[in-house]
């Protein structure tokens, strides 16, 4: 008679094979899943199905490449605790906002605060300083006018003078907001408008300077709209999320997890695509406004420095370390799920699914199931077919 473990493995393999992984007509933007653009993320239905196939309610799910937090939100919605880790500070910010419900009062205060802030900034920028009566507000704008970013070559390159001043003023008001959870929402809305407010070319995902760009969208109106859209999506969270479940987001390294041995019940993740999606480069405008140097972040990311000769070798080294760490923190007989695409790097096709199987085997995993999906209904990812891989410790 087969043991319970053997039966579970057999059942999982059958369930993976029988399940629909295309989700052709499913809505991928519910709740906060579209709160901020993030390249190469997987759709929430895949995360949810993988979580439910490999864990039980109350289990702990880990995503060591958390990205924009898709796994974390779906883990909570399916009754699991979760931990998300990423080296990209922008990813951490988005993930925190995506899984943090706020009370209606917090959201209305945030909205009202920025209605006033936008009016003050608009009046000041238009030269109507007389409408800003209090000494306190005058001091605010004195501070804004002496902000070093107004004279910084990088900021001057990427933003015209008026937009830069509006952005500096908005950033000042964001930093001054006392409620940390609500302040992060404003920061995400601010990040969302930077591209359209900049001199970046609109025809490429890369942040490339458009020297012929004559005008860009005013940040004030764009920010108001982005903030209201964010608030509307977060309003839905309170009635959907389980406050008794632990959901942690940590700025950390997938190759060196600060977790106890055998402390999680599943690893559910969608790894980077080597050098095909340069996360720090795509998010460079946001990272700079957050106070980070994009090139420094890029050097640390798995698959970063995409133009370097050894990008594939460095990726595989970091990837193997992530798999080894995942093996260490998983409880015995528990599962690792990976959704992977096969990128082309410097003209060379990389069979990343096969390399994943080889590396996972090296660190001790047994492969339980493999399934291909055609890649329909996904987030701005044109890499072709994707592979779903299930492993057991």
């Amino acid at each position: 008679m087969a043991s319970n473990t053997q039966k579970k493995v057999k059942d999982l393999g059958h369930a993976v094979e029988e399940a629909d992984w295309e989700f052709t007509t499913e809505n991928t933007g519910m709740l906060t899943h579209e709160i901020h653009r993030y390249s190469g993320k997987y759709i929430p239905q895949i995360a949810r199905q993988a979580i439910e196939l490999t864990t039980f309610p109350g289990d702990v799910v880990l995503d060591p490449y958390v990205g924009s937090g898709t796994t974390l939100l779906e883990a909570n919605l399916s009754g699991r605790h979760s931990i998300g880790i990423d080296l990209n500070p922008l990813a951490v910010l988005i993930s925190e906002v995506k899984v943090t419900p706020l009370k209606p009062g917090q959201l209305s205060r945030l909205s009202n605060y920025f209605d006033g802030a936008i009016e003050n900034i608009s009046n000041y920028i238009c030269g109507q300083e007389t409408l800003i009566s209090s000494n306190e507000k005058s001091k605010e704008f004195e501070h804004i006018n002496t902000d070093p970013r107004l004279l910084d070559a990088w900021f001057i390159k990427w933003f015209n003078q008026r937009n830069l001043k509006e952005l500096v003023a908005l950033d000042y008001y964001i930093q001054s907001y006392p409620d940390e959870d609500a302040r992060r929402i404003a920061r995400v809305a601010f990040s969302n408008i930077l591209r359209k407010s900049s001199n970046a070319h609109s025809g490429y995902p890369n942040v490339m300077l458009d020297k012929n760009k004559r005008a860009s969208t005013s940040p004030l109106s764009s920010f108001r709209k982005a903030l209201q859209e964010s608030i509307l999506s977060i309003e839905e969270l309170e009635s959907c999320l389980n406050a008794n479940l632990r959901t942690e987001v940590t700025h950390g390294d997938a190759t060196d997890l600060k977790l106890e041995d055998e402390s999680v019940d599943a690893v559910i993740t969608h790894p980077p695509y080597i050098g095909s999606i340069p996360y720090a480069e795509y998010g460079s405008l946001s990272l700079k406004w957050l106070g980070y140097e994009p090139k420094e972040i890029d050097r640390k990311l798995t698959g970063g420095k995409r133009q370097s000769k050894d990008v594939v070798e460095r990726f595989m080294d970091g990837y193997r370390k992530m798999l080894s760490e995942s093996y260490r923190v998983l409880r015995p007989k528990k599962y690792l799920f990976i959704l992977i695409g096969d990128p082309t790097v410097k003209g060379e096709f990389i069979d990343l699914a096969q390399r994943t199987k080889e590396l996972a085997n090296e660190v001790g995993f047994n492969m339980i199931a493999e399934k291909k999906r055609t890649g329909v209904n996904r987030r701005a990812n044109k890499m072709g077919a994707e592979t779903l891989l299930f492993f057991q410790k």
Side-chain angles (χ1 to χ4, degrees):
M1 182 179 293
S3 68
N4 288 337
T5 298
Q6 289 173 325
K7 185 176 187 299
K8 172 68 175 175
V9 171
K10 182 178 179 181
D11 288 348
L12 176 60
H14 178 75
V16 170
E17 182 60 35
E18 292 299 310
D20 173 22
W21 294 97
E22 298 298 334
F23 302 106
T24 307
T25 61
E26 294 286 331
N27 173 23
T28 63
M30 63 284 199
L31 295 175
T32 50
H33 277 303
E34 292 292 342
I35 202 163
H36 193 289
R37 176 182 172 82
Y38 201 83
S39 297
K41 58 187 179 183
Y42 63 170
I43 61 174
Q45 287 80 6
I46 292 176
R48 171 76 75 94
Q49 191 155 267
I51 289 166
E52 293 182 344
L53 284 175
T54 58
T55 62
F56 299 99
D59 280 353
V60 179
V61 173
L62 166 68
D63 189 342
Y65 295 125
V66 75
S68 66
T70 301
T71 302
L72 304 186
L73 182 54
E74 290 305 307
N76 185 287
L77 293 172
S78 56
R80 278 74 167 170
H81 304 282
S82 59
I83 303 167
I85 296 169
D86 209 291
L87 267 173
N88 187 342
L90 178 59
V92 172
L93 171 66
I94 298 167
S95 295
E96 286 175 330
V97 171
K98 182 177 281 188
V99 298
T100 304
L102 271 70
K103 299 292 183 184
Q106 288 176 282
L107 295 173
S108 62
R109 284 190 294 272
L110 180 70
S111 180
N112 292 337
Y113 172 86
F114 278 102
D115 281 345
I118 289 168
E119 182 178 358
N120 287 342
I121 296 167
S122 180
N123 289 337
Y124 188 83
I125 297 294
C126 291
Q128 301 174 35
E129 292 91 339
T130 54
L131 296 178
I132 305 173
S133 56
S134 74
N135 289 332
E136 200 60 41
K137 288 188 175 67
S138 297
K139 289 177 183 178
E140 286 178 10
F141 283 94
E142 181 180 340
H143 177 85
I144 290 165
N145 282 328
T146 58
D147 191 292
R149 288 172 292 192
L150 295 174
L151 299 175
D152 184 280
W154 186 91
F155 288 93
I156 292 171
K157 171 185 174 181
W158 287 104
F159 302 93
N160 68 46
Q161 186 178 22
R162 182 188 176 96
N163 281 9
L164 179 55
K165 198 161 191 176
E166 289 184 10
L167 289 168
V168 165
L170 279 171
D171 189 53
Y172 176 84
Y173 275 96
I174 292 170
Q175 292 185 53
S176 302
Y177 197 73
D179 183 336
E180 183 179 357
D181 288 338
R183 185 168 66 243
R184 284 197 294 258
I185 299 172
R187 180 62 67 197
V188 163
F190 183 86
S191 175
N192 262 326
I193 68 164
L194 287 173
R195 178 104 186 206
K196 67 172 67 174
S197 303
S198 76
N199 298 325
H201 202 294
S202 60
Y204 303 94
N206 304 54
V207 181
M208 298 172 60
L209 187 68
D210 184 352
K211 295 180 180 179
N212 297 317
K213 196 167 187 177
R214 299 301 179 196
S216 51
T217 307
S218 168
L220 296 181
S221 57
S222 296
F223 177 78
R224 187 196 298 271
K225 180 181 178 183
L227 181 63
Q228 291 306 316
E229 288 174 350
S230 296
I231 287 172
L232 285 173
S233 65
I234 289 168
E235 281 178 343
E236 301 180 65
L237 283 183
E238 191 178 18
S239 62
C240 298
L241 293 190
N242 186 336
N244 296 319
L245 292 170
R246 178 168 52 98
T247 305
E248 297 179 6
V249 185
T250 302
H251 183 222
D253 191 344
T255 69
D256 184 21
L257 300 174
K258 306 303 182 185
L259 298 172
E260 298 290 332
D261 293 356
E262 300 182 359
S263 58
V264 303
D265 298 291
V267 177
I268 308 291
T269 196
H270 180 38
Y273 288 102
I274 310 185
S276 296
I277 298 178
Y279 297 95
E281 183 181 333
Y282 284 2
S284 59
L285 297 178
S286 298
L287 288 168
K288 195 75 173 179
W289 279 92
L290 287 170
Y292 296 94
E293 287 299 327
K295 289 184 179 179
E296 290 182 10
I297 301 298
D298 186 53
R299 282 194 288 269
K300 298 175 183 178
L301 296 178
T302 301
K305 296 176 64 179
R306 66 189 180 116
Q307 301 299 341
S308 60
K309 293 181 180 179
D310 64 342
V311 60
V312 175
E313 290 76 12
R314 286 187 299 100
F315 174 87
M316 292 303 172
D317 179 63
Y319 194 36
R320 187 188 190 284
K321 289 176 181 175
M322 180 279 294
L323 291 168
S324 179
E325 281 289 87
S326 295
Y327 188 89
R328 177 182 66 80
V329 302
L330 266 175
R331 295 189 173 101
K333 306 300 181 183
K334 297 295 186 175
Y335 298 97
L336 161 70
F337 165 79
I338 291 179
L339 174 71
I340 204 71
D342 297 323
T344 298
V345 182
K346 296 183 180 298
E348 177 188 357
F349 172 79
I350 307 295
D351 190 341
L352 196 49
Q354 181 59 34
R355 299 290 286 274
T356 299
K357 289 184 280 187
E358 293 168 357
L359 291 173
N361 181 258
E362 285 179 20
V363 303
F365 282 107
N366 294 316
M367 199 177 87
I368 302 303
E370 176 179 2
K371 186 76 179 284
K372 294 284 186 182
R373 72 184 298 265
T374 62
V376 298
N377 197 4
R378 54 182 174 174
R379 311 281 187 75
N381 176 0
K382 300 177 181 179
M383 210 164 287
E386 297 170 316
T387 306
L388 303 102
L389 297 169
F390 290 81
F391 301 93
Q392 185 181 37
K393 179 173 178 176

